[in-house]
Amino acid sequence: MTDVRKRHNVAIVGAGAAGTLTAVQLCETAHRRRTPLDLVLIDPAPEAGRGTAYATRDPRHRLNVPAGNMSAYPDDPGHFVRWLCRHGEPAVTGADFATRYRYGAYLADTLGQAVVRAHGTVAVRRLRTLAESCTGTPDGRVALHLADGGPLAVDSAVLATGPAAASAGWAPPALRTSPRFIAAPWVPDALDPVRDSPDDVLLVGTGLTAVDLALTLDRPGRTVHALSRSGLLPQPHALGPAGTMPAPDGLDDTSLGRLRRAVYRHVSRSVRTHGDWRPGLDSLRPHTARLWRSLTPEEREEFLAREGALWNTHRHRMAPATAEHVSRARTARRLHVRTGTVARVSAAEDGSLAVELSDGQVLHVGWVIDCTGPGRRPDSPLWQALFTAGLAAPGPLGMGVATREGQLADVRGRLAGPLFTLGAPRRGELWETTAIPEIRVQAAELAQRLLPFPERRRGARRPADGQGLPLSTHAEAAAAYRSGLDRVLKVRSGAEDAFARAVALDPGFALGHAALALLGHECAAAVDVPRALADAQRSARERADDRERSFVDVITRRVTGDDGDEALVRHLRGHRGDALALAAAVPTIAFSGVSDLQDDDALRLLDLTSPAYDGHWFHTSLLAFLRQEQGRLHEAGELAHRALAAEPASGHAVHALAHVHYESGAHEAGRDWLDGWVSGRGRGAVHRAHFSWHIALHELALDDPAAVRRRWFAQLAPGRVVSGVRALVDSGSLLWRARMSDSWRGDLPVAGVLQAVERDVLERPQTAFTALHAAVALTAAGDLAALRRLRDHAAGADEVQREVVVPLCEAFAALVEERFHEAARGLDALLPVLRRVGGSAAQREVVEETLLYALVSDGRGEAARRLLDARLDRTRAPRDRRLRAGLAS
């Protein structure tokens, strides 16, 4: 790989939402592609990200789109919600409506983070001034002429100027010249005299701007009138999820009449199906721009005249809290919504205004505020200069400007040089282009166009991973990736740091990002999983081979629950030497594995990949683990010892041998051998607590409660030595098993386990394996409410959670409520399918032991004896003998 040495110069005129989103994408694209970039942001506003829309500090002014749809990144929809959670709103969900000011802070912070990440590749300047005109240069560049200086020459310019100012063309001359007329209500301090006045107010316009101002100006003793031709207020968003619908058939018909009928039928079907028109209308959103383009100019005019207002009031909605406030104001008659236009205006002696409406009514108000929305085309000095010079032309129907995929077209229809725009100026071309979900896509597309891909040197040899598979990165990043992979295969700590170092060295290294996403998803590493996944996907599209793209797809599917297991197996069939994929597929200790991979299937997978490893200790370690799962303990022990002879730090081999000792009943030997390893070579094991858990299982089986307590407090107590998912899987499950076998007297310190795990991990786990252990810990704590929330989450998660975790939670809830018969029946039914959650037989054994506890508590001694006899046939553990003696007939 070679870096592109030429520095690119890009100017963004406007630092509101559109300009900020463009700057974010340019910074991250340049950083990912290692393309040097000089970026100039031109805007007189004091802070980037706010513009007009997000500068208001009124907490009643909320976004009109739920937070889950307001991410700055089109491929990371949860980014804004996660930001809110990290910045003082931990309980926020994607369905909530944040304040506009909060969203402006989010945009500013997201840009700041992007600039910091791109430091060294991107240099950013912020010019607090206006661009007044623009000309071309002889070398095909752009010269922007600034209000406070000379020209600024750049390779390309993005005009992110936002919506055009309202023209107030509807207002009679006497009103336009009145000091009681506010034409630009969002200008700082413009509303101060209105707030201080007790007079009534007329808002001309009934859209979202009018709604915001009605909230701001609402006060006892004042009447706010809102006037428009349609008299329609925006509709409210639904209070809860209303369901989803696919788009209707017939959208490819270019006739407006037939298209209109298809849409109305579709909306009617939505009402019949969901009891709500919103799912039907929302399903049209991905197709709106295409449909608009398919119409003739005459049909567009007809649509605007007949359906424009109806579309806008249903498409651009109020937040539920805003709608409630509006409803209260109307009920109290402090807000009157009227239909009509302003006919004449005259000033009274006291300075107030007498406004005559088109229906003859006269309103006496102190102030008239223009809320009619943006003008048809941009009218700043820069745009006026471009129109005058012929470098810009009005868009369709005179709305916005003419572009070709965002690049300005001149009056002759030719591309006007490296001038680009996005958002509101493309309204005539796209119709729906002013909302964040559309603008962020346009910003990402612009970044792709403006910055070139790095060129690969012909004949350059790519570095490889530890198995010889080529990597699409440079040597330094590849070395860090190999270190991380080696630590994963040995089950040693430091893999996350190594992978993070790899992507810091090469931000466009898809495999490094995917490995981080995998560790975050399956091992609860401190990784922003959606962010890492989005970075992996972006990088894979730009620079990756077939294997790397396949692996990114696998991790994407595993995180989203979209056939991730099948995709992983398919990947391994095509790329047999991919050790990280093999580690993720075979359930041992590092990952949960393929959830429904039976022993025979797993062995066939190892047989399939065996030629790529030629007896390598890692492959041998996995085979050892699978053999003990089959009950072939002697063979498993031999394989584990063989792997450890080649690599004494192989955590997989140690894990296999720990299971051999446990399943064969060699509890004293297993305890002593594993205790020695944990104190020696195991000091650097990433899952050291899990090995301590194995030792404690031996001590539990040996019926040594004192040793179990010592082990738990020394090596498994959350907070000091264990945290996160390991505290849940190891520490929590051990406590519950000790309590059920009467090996832990007194208070059960399960509260520490729950405090060591984030609430999302407990109640919204991403894997069935984690969900099983969350259910165990919550049962131990007797937290029925959280247990039911976990059940509800599992009901909407992947297939294994729906079919296994849901009934497991119900059985555990019955146990907490001392409905022991129901609990035993539910647990017994789950034993045959429990292996689908992943993990080992020793881990899943906690369910069997809970069943035994439920049977004894239900007074079903015979059934409990049969279960214990079966356990004693496998291994004659002293604890099980004690329990059996207590049930002697």
Side-chain angles (χ1 to χ4, degrees), residues 15 24 60 136 159 184 199 325 420 520 534 559 629 727 776 838 843:
V24 168
R60 293 167 295 188
L159 310 184
D199 297 335
H325 194 132
F420 301 83
V559 171
E629 283 281 286
V776 167
Q843 288 170 314

Side-chain angles (χ1 to χ4, degrees), residues 60-64 97 208 211-212 214-215 233-239 278 316-331 335:
R60 293 167 295 188
H61 293 172
R62 295 192 170 270
L63 299 174
N64 60 309
F97 292 81
L208 291 167
V211 167
D212 280 346
L215 299 187
L233 286 172
Q235 291 290 311
H237 279 278
L239 290 174
R278 294 172 183 82
H316 304 287
R317 304 169 203 150
M318 296 184 280
T322 302
E324 175 64 23
H325 194 132
V326 168
S327 177
R328 289 198 301 269
R330 295 187 75 179
T331 301
L335 173 63

Side-chain angles (χ1 to χ4, degrees), residues 792-825:
D792 293 343
H793 161 78
D798 58 78
E799 181 181 355
V800 179
Q801 292 208 48
R802 291 194 304 271
E803 297 181 1
V804 181
V805 175
V806 168
L808 183 71
C809 288
E810 291 171 348
F812 280 163
L815 189 77
V816 173
E817 294 179 324
E818 298 186 355
R819 294 182 283 115
F820 298 117
H821 188 78
E822 293 177 40
R825 184 176 58 206

